[in-house]
Amino acid sequence: MPRGDEERGKTIFAEICASCHSIVDSGARRSGPHLMGIWGRQANTLPGYKFAKSEEKSGIIWNDKTLWDYFERGHIPGTKMLFRALKADEQKRADVLAYLKVASSTNKK
């Protein structure tokens, strides 16, 4: 996995992720769940969001590796999300992960 650049990741997130996902846990609802606190959270467990059923996401804990794999695959059968924008570009995936890791932290100073 290449080293990610948080600033590039912020721009990429705004361009291709923010239409469906928010980083904050309040505000307008979007088609995807908010990503605040995603690191260490079990997939499909965000209170208040109705997830599609997916056996493939059962038991997944979101971290660098699981998010990297999810971005690389572009889709998990049984879920609503079809996302191929990061599939072919390892550097973009690394940049978005670097941004998300900081932006979604519930321990921001």
Side-chain angles (χ1 to χ4, degrees), residues 46-82:
L46 182 67
Y49 184 81
K50 184 176 171 142
F51 290 93
K53 293 187 182 200
S54 170
E55 291 300 316
E56 290 194 47
K57 278 177 55 178
S58 179
I60 289 176
I61 304 296
W62 294 122
N63 58 42
D64 290 348
K65 170 106 175 73
T66 55
L67 283 165
W68 177 268
D69 292 347
Y70 188 62
F71 289 164
E72 186 175 38
R73 290 176 69 187
H75 179 65
I76 294 178
T79 68
K80 300 176 197 177
M81 186 172 165
L82 179 61

Side-chain angles (χ1 to χ4, degrees), residues 11 24 30 34 79-80 82 84 91 102:
T11 300
V24 297
R30 297 191 179 157
H34 73 74
T79 68
K80 300 176 197 177
L82 179 61
R84 298 184 191 232
Q91 188 59 57
V102 172

Side-chain angles (χ1 to χ4, degrees), residues 34-51:
H34 73 74
L35 302 178
M36 179 56 70
I38 192 169
W39 255 257
R41 186 169 70 214
Q42 185 172 346
N44 290 8
T45 61
L46 182 67
Y49 184 81
K50 184 176 171 142
F51 290 93

